[in-house]
Amino acid sequence: MTYTYVIVKDPTNEDFKALCKRIGELYPGYEQKGGKKYADGAENARWEKGEFAITAELEATPAVLTVTSDEELPELEREYRLKEKERRKHERRERRLFYNTFMGSSARVKFLLIPGIIFVWFAVNLITVFGDWYSDPTDFVIDYFFTVVGIVSNFWTFLGWLWLLPAGAAVIWAARFKNPVIIKLLTAALPVLSVVYGCMRFGMRVAEIFFGSLFIGYASLPVMYMAVLPYLVIDEIACRRLLKLTGERPSKTMSVICWVLSFAASAAVLASFSIVENRLYYG
């Protein structure tokens, strides 16, 4: 079981240093295994004792200083006079999958900011181009919504969203090996395997129609983003688990490289299937 203690809100770096020093004094059986600083001001430190670990984390957004432990820390709780009600409230929130996955600083960009910008921008373009076709703005919104949802549902069906459940669970489980390269490579392999699945099950004719839907200009960007959303969710959960186990996430450079390789490999799979099927069809 994991225990989470909210030490203080709106902390300073001095608060973090004082906390780290006090943990070392209160729990001499734990050995400090280092920590990491981030560009946004966040910072963490980790102590280990056998299979047990204590992690102190200074979060930048929202600004809060927390301690996560594999065993209860009553001495620390008494030291900082932590309120039982506040601690339990924070633990319940931390257990929520939505909060852990979608409310981290980088996750907010991927799952809230970017989709919001994409859909607002394309909605404005739609109004500019097709606004005169609709006497009622409600009809316009409904058509736009169901067009995007319909294409996205076809994307997920083609890519085999159902098999992503066990595959995603396997990637998340692999975080226990505490190797960021393994996590990123496994995640990057999922879109490639999805394209292979779609081409083998539905054939290139369906695949060409399917990817041809991307040429619907006003819907292409939101559709593409929604199509890759399941992979982003799996990646974020796995990275969060890795962060909890090791105190570190995979680097941004590694992430970019893996996603570029994934896109290139997926495109190569589509091209290969197309060439093979055309040769078989036309002799």
Side-chain angles (χ1 to χ4, degrees):
M1 182 175 179
T2 300
Y3 299 88
T4 301
Y5 301 88
V6 180
I7 304 301
V8 64
K9 295 181 180 179
D10 299 319
T12 64
N13 286 330
E14 293 302 319
D15 293 327
F16 179 76
K17 292 177 182 177
L19 172 63
C20 292
K21 180 180 178 181
R22 198 65 186 125
I23 289 175
E25 294 171 349
L26 291 173
Y27 305 99
Y30 281 81
E31 180 183 357
Q32 188 166 1
K33 293 294 185 178
K36 189 171 183 180
K37 294 183 178 181
Y38 298 90
D40 61 358
E43 190 174 355
N44 61 52
R46 183 180 176 84
W47 295 260
E48 294 184 2
K49 182 182 69 174
E51 60 181 9
F52 295 104
I54 298 175
T55 302
E57 185 170 7
L58 173 63
E59 298 180 22
T61 307
V64 64
L65 182 59
T66 61
V67 172
T68 304
S69 174
D70 293 327
E71 59 180 353
E72 288 190 271
L73 305 176
E75 300 84 3
L76 186 74
E77 190 169 358
R78 288 194 297 269
E79 176 82 12
Y80 284 89
R81 299 177 182 177
L82 303 177
K83 296 179 180 179
E84 184 69 14
K85 181 178 179 181
E86 183 177 352
R87 180 171 67 85
R88 289 181 178 178
K89 179 181 178 181
H90 188 78
E91 286 179 355
R92 287 196 300 269
R93 186 176 65 170
E94 282 293 309
R95 291 192 191 103
R96 294 174 190 166
L97 179 62
F98 179 88
Y99 179 82
N100 281 339
T101 306
F102 300 106
M103 296 310 291
S105 57
S106 62
R108 279 197 297 272
V109 174
K110 289 187 287 189
F111 302 122
L112 295 178
L113 181 61
I114 292 178
I117 291 174
I118 287 175
F119 281 92
V120 169
W121 190 83
F122 273 90
V124 170
N125 275 270
L126 269 179
I127 292 173
T128 302
V129 177
F130 300 106
D132 294 339
W133 294 14
Y134 295 89
S135 58
D136 186 353
T138 303
D139 294 337
F140 167 80
V141 173
I142 292 175
D143 281 358
Y144 176 69
F145 175 79
F146 281 104
T147 297
V148 173
V149 169
I151 297 175
V152 168
S153 64
N154 289 334
F155 257 76
W156 287 353
T157 299
F158 180 85
L159 295 173
W161 63 270
L162 193 58
W163 79 269
L164 279 178
L165 297 177
V171 173
I172 296 167
W173 175 84
R176 67 192 297 269
F177 294 110
K178 303 180 181 181
N179 189 319
V181 177
I182 292 177
I183 293 297
K184 280 299 179 181
L185 289 178
L186 289 176
T187 306
L190 294 181
V192 182
L193 295 176
S194 291
V195 173
V196 172
Y197 165 86
C199 290
M200 292 183 65
R201 179 168 181 183
F202 298 101
M204 274 308 301
R205 186 183 66 82
V206 176
E208 288 170 356
I209 296 173
F210 167 71
F211 285 99
S213 65
L214 292 180
F215 290 97
I216 303 175
Y218 66 88
S220 59
L221 190 54
V223 167
M224 286 183 67
Y225 194 84
M226 293 298 291
V228 302
L229 195 56
Y231 309 107
L232 295 179
V233 171
I234 292 171
D235 178 66
E236 183 63 26
I237 296 175
C239 289
R240 291 284 298 185
R241 179 167 172 76
L242 186 68
L243 176 64
K244 183 165 289 189
L245 292 173
T246 66
E248 295 186 14
R249 291 174 63 102
S251 68
K252 292 181 180 179
T253 301
M254 184 190 304
S255 297
V256 171
I257 292 174
C258 287
W259 286 120
V260 169
L261 290 175
S262 179
F263 178 82
S266 298
V269 168
L270 277 172
S272 299
F273 268 91
S274 179
I275 292 172
V276 171
E277 188 162 284
N278 284 335
R279 285 180 178 177
L280 291 175
Y281 183 79
Y282 294 108

